Amino acid sequence: MDHFKPTIIRNTSIAQNYFELEFTWPSHSVPLPGQFLTLRIADQISPLLRRPFAFSGFNKEDRTASIIYEKRGPATSILSAQLPGEALDVIGPLGNSFPAPINDNRPVLVAGGVGMGPMFFLAEDFLKHNIHPLLFLGARTKAFIPNLDLFQKVQTLISTDDGTAGFSGTSVSCFQHYLETHENHQKVSGYEVYACGPNPMMQALDRFSRNQSWPTWLSMEQTMGCAVGACMGCVVKVITNTPPPQGFAYARVCTEGPIFPGHTLIWEENHGQQ
Amino acid sequence: MGNSNFQPDLRVTIGSLTMKNPVGVASGTFGYGSEYEQLIPLENLGALYTKAVTLEPRPGNPIPRIVEAPGGMLNSIGLANLGSRGFVQKKYPYLKSLPTQVIVNLAGSQVEDYCETLEYLEEHAPLGGYEVNLSCPNVQCGGMALGTDPLQVEFVVKELRKRTAKPLIIKLSPNVTDITEIARASEAGGADAVSCINTLVGMLIDTKKKKPVLSTITGGLSGPGILPVGLAAVFRVKRAVKIPVVGLGGIMSGDHAIQYLLAGASAIQVGTANFVDPEATRTILKDIYHYAKEHSLESITDFHTLMYPV
């Protein structure tokens, strides 16, 4: 990880409330899909804490990186008003990254809302390795769905809660519907599931893929303090084989995560946390 | 000021220990140092106060543990740590090699816990000294409960004093009627210094969910909003005891730190600011140095006589 001040190249709306922020990456480090950075939004007391954002892309040749964020509060409102040429205050890359699928498992990428960012990055990365994933993108309504070139390169299935675009329902039910109707999934050796989105979506997906015994990798979100592993603030509850007590532990999203194997998460406590 | 060759001596002495400068990092905000080694040179720190160590491992409190508040943040981590044995095995080997003073923050539920933890660390993990957390607002018993009763404070400090010659710094809670009482009790028990303040008890409520934001209902408030509270505490405590006072609470800038030194602090700790800007300690030390130079202050104690006599 490094702490540095890159320059904004582009900060544009890609769908209603969603922005893509592209910036220079003068650091020697190479961000991987699933990893994140923190931004100090403004040199003022409020918003105070740095905000975490997952990488949505990294261009090795141009040394540029990007994030996709949702404008939903004071911090992201300030961010959305920043212009090309202005400096960002970045610490990154942070956290672990998505692993490659085992054997010949076909990757299934499930994105909900702002969770699309890391899924787009992962899809691009798979394509570079000649792996062809399936991408499920869910949103509340059509206005929140961006129109990206990526959808021409990757088999993408869109779903909306209100049915205004693509499948009517959640991205998880869209995935289940796909399996039932579009493909005899016995043909592929198996699926490996990667997801980032609201916790109810990820819990539903985890429950489904556990039944199928598919490896599942979930990108968890939690309010962060330091984001470098020091403060123990951004934890999720996970199953452990060893004490401390009763076979559970709190794992730091910023350090042990943000990517966790689905079967290790204890949803009763993690559910509903954002 | 005229003499550009003038070099202030910013070293700080607490008991038998000398810190190379007055700027430390507060317990709970800096882990065990390694978390920040890629971001800042740790040798520039005057002292590193570790995350609290308890006798046995603690998983910490349920989620959510942290939330931003107006002018700061609320936390309820619940002393999550590896316990004294885990600390010795996994953290001590790194900490003992650090080119800065490492002060181990001790926490517990009862007097016996503190004593046993200290004895164990004296034997297995000798470091620079101890900061005794008698004021954590986020654990059920001990911590703050212990730290709010002067008689109990004096007793526990006496018991710890019997067990170590190393500096004992007692961390005081602002959540008391009279913080100077607790400071005097610490001094009477044989403490080498007091540090103040720990976080203030606070809460936030989610009006959509109609429930407290933190799992434990209340948490500890830190950040720039508590600066005036910390300053008032240091100012009063300094005038109540003869031992050095370590000031903390809301320090975000050099100016904030200098205010603590003027109020009577011999050293300061930077906490929440590390989260916002890991280089805060460097900026703060630089500002203190320039202020000392500008005002021809030869040492930290010169700061204490600088303010208009009050």
Side-chain angles (χ1 to χ4, degrees):
Chain A
M1 77 181 85
D2 288 314
H3 184 193
F4 57 102
K5 297 200 170 161
T7 307
I8 297 175
I9 298 168
R10 196 163 51 83
N11 187 16
T12 48
S13 172
I14 55 167
Q16 189 180 317
N17 294 358
Y18 290 99
F19 289 75
E20 186 175 19
L21 174 67
E22 191 188 3
F23 45 93
T24 58
W25 189 261
S27 160
H28 292 295
S29 56
V30 174
L32 300 169
Q35 288 192 297
F36 69 99
L37 55 80
T38 61
L39 288 181
R40 185 177 183 189
I41 300 293
D43 187 7
Q44 57 192 44
I45 280 172
S46 179
L48 180 69
L49 296 172
R50 307 179 72 87
R51 298 296 200 264
F53 298 93
F55 288 96
S56 61
F58 179 68
N59 186 322
K60 261 184 199 161
E61 290 71 39
D62 300 347
R63 303 301 294 180
T64 60
S66 58
I67 59 169
I68 289 173
Y69 64 95
E70 183 184 5
K71 184 179 166 183
R72 63 178 172 196
T76 44
S77 291
I78 293 170
L79 189 59
S80 69
Q82 289 211 256
L83 299 170
E86 292 182 347
L88 295 168
D89 182 331
V90 167
I91 295 178
L94 299 164
N96 65 358
S97 57
F98 288 111
I102 50 166
N103 304 323
D104 293 325
N105 282 349
R106 185 174 188 195
V108 171
L109 279 48
V110 184
V114 74
M116 69 178 99
M119 290 297 109
F120 294 166
F121 188 11
L122 184 61
E124 292 276 11
D125 197 59
F126 280 139
L127 288 179
K128 280 181 196 149
H129 293 88
N130 210 26
I131 297 168
H132 295 274
L134 254 172
L135 175 62
F136 292 89
L137 172 58
R140 270 172 287 153
T141 188
K142 187 181 178 183
F144 298 124
I145 305 277
N147 183 15
L148 300 179
D149 294 343
L150 177 70
F151 303 158
Q152 310 305 317
K153 298 186 279 183
V154 172
Q155 189 180 355
T156 306
L157 288 100
I158 285 167
S159 58
T160 49
D161 296 347
D162 64 0
T164 47
F167 180 84
S168 179
T170 68
S171 52
V172 179
S173 49
C174 181
F175 174 33
Q176 290 163 333
H177 182 255
Y178 172 87
L179 292 172
E180 288 159 12
T181 58
H182 284 73
E183 190 176 348
N184 176 359
H185 60 262
Q186 310 298 341
K187 279 185 201 161
V188 291
S189 62
Y191 290 102
E192 189 139 348
V193 179
Y194 302 80
C196 186
N199 277 350
M201 177 201 103
M202 297 217 282
Q203 186 182 11
L205 186 63
D206 182 40
R207 192 183 300 127
F208 175 66
S209 57
R210 274 194 217 198
N211 285 336
Q212 312 291 327
S213 301
W214 294 331
T216 302
W217 305 96
L218 304 176
S219 178
M220 299 298 285
E221 190 179 9
Q222 190 61 271
T223 306
M224 289 187 179
C226 68
V228 298
C231 77
M232 315 300 289
C234 65
V235 296
V236 289
K237 198 172 188 178
V238 295
I239 296 163
T240 57
N241 298 321
T242 49
Q246 295 105 32
F248 77 88
Y250 289 106
R252 296 165 294 186
V253 169
C254 71
T255 305
E256 284 79 44
I259 315 304
F260 292 89
H263 68 270
T264 63
L265 293 161
I266 301 174
W267 286 104
E268 289 69 33
E269 193 168 320
N270 296 323
H271 184 84
Q273 304 308 328
Q274 284 295 312
Chain B
M1 286 289 153
N3 187 357
S4 63
N5 293 326
F6 173 70
Q7 299 288 329
D9 179 357
L10 297 181
R11 285 176 297 178
V12 178
T13 302
I14 292 176
S16 55
L17 174 146
T18 302
M19 299 172 181
K20 67 181 97 171
N21 69 62
V23 182
V25 283
S27 176
T29 68
F30 215 76
Y32 304 93
S34 60
E35 294 87 344
Y36 278 95
E37 68 176 2
Q38 290 180 53
L39 295 174
I40 64 161
L42 301 181
E43 68 261 27
N44 292 350
L45 299 175
L48 188 162
Y49 299 78
T50 69
K51 170 81 185 152
V53 178
T54 54
L55 187 60
E56 301 299 333
R58 285 193 192 223
N61 287 337
I63 312 162
R65 292 178 171 184
I66 201 165
V67 61
E68 187 158 326
M73 56 172 275
L74 273 178
N75 87 80
S76 180
I77 308 299
L79 303 177
N81 81 101
L82 295 168
S84 51
R85 281 157 201 83
F87 176 81
V88 167
Q89 282 166 19
K90 295 191 175 136
K91 304 299 177 187
Y92 174 64
Y94 176 83
L95 287 169
K96 74 175 176 188
S97 71
L98 286 183
T100 182
Q101 293 291 4
V102 176
I103 313 289
V104 182
N105 185 284
L106 293 183
S109 299
Q110 306 168 52
V111 178
E112 296 76 34
D113 297 345
Y114 286 92
C115 293
E116 216 176 307
T117 310
L118 183 131
E119 278 173 7
Y120 187 80
L121 296 178
E122 278 283 283
E123 190 179 342
H124 299 285
L127 288 160
Y130 303 97
E131 182 180 51
V132 185
N133 181 0
L134 294 177
S135 49
C136 180
N138 299 327
V139 289
Q140 286 291 315
C141 52
M144 196 170 77
L146 204 70
T148 55
D149 177 355
L151 290 176
Q152 282 200 63
V153 169
E154 187 176 339
F155 178 70
V156 69
V157 176
K158 270 186 178 153
E159 288 301 311
L160 294 173
R161 183 77 288 166
K162 288 178 198 163
R163 291 165 168 85
T164 183
K166 290 199 169 125
L168 277 175
I169 304 169
I170 311 305
K171 191 166 184 178
L172 306 180
S173 170
N175 306 303
V176 293
T177 310
D178 183 3
I179 196 168
T180 63
E181 253 189 1
I182 313 296
R184 278 192 292 266
S186 304
E187 186 178 43
D192 296 285
V194 289
S195 54
C196 52
I197 53 173
N198 206 325
T199 55
L200 281 84
V201 173
M203 78 182 283
L204 284 172
I205 297 167
D206 184 326
T207 52
K208 276 189 199 147
K209 294 179 184 167
K210 301 177 188 70
K211 62 176 201 176
V213 176
L214 293 179
S215 66
T216 49
I217 302 176
T218 61
L221 178 66
S222 65
I226 73 165
L227 176 79
V229 183
L231 282 169
V234 167
F235 182 82
R236 293 180 60 224
V237 167
K238 173 66 182 172
R239 281 144 188 84
V241 296
K242 293 189 174 66
I243 52 176
V245 181
V246 180
L248 73 152
I251 297 176
M252 305 300 288
S253 67
D255 184 74
H256 294 167
I258 292 162
Q259 290 189 56
Y260 270 99
L261 298 176
L262 293 179
S266 296
I268 58 104
Q269 297 176 16
V270 177
T272 301
N274 294 313
F275 300 168
V276 179
D277 177 13
E279 287 175 58
T281 46
R282 193 177 68 169
T283 318
I284 288 166
L285 178 59
K286 202 175 68 185
D287 289 354
I288 292 172
Y289 184 82
H290 288 311
Y291 188 90
K293 218 172 156 169
E294 192 187 334
H295 294 84
S296 300
L297 308 176
E298 288 178 14
S299 69
I300 292 294
T301 49
D302 283 359
F303 281 78
H304 300 165
T305 53
L306 197 64
M307 195 161 58
Y308 188 81
V310 278

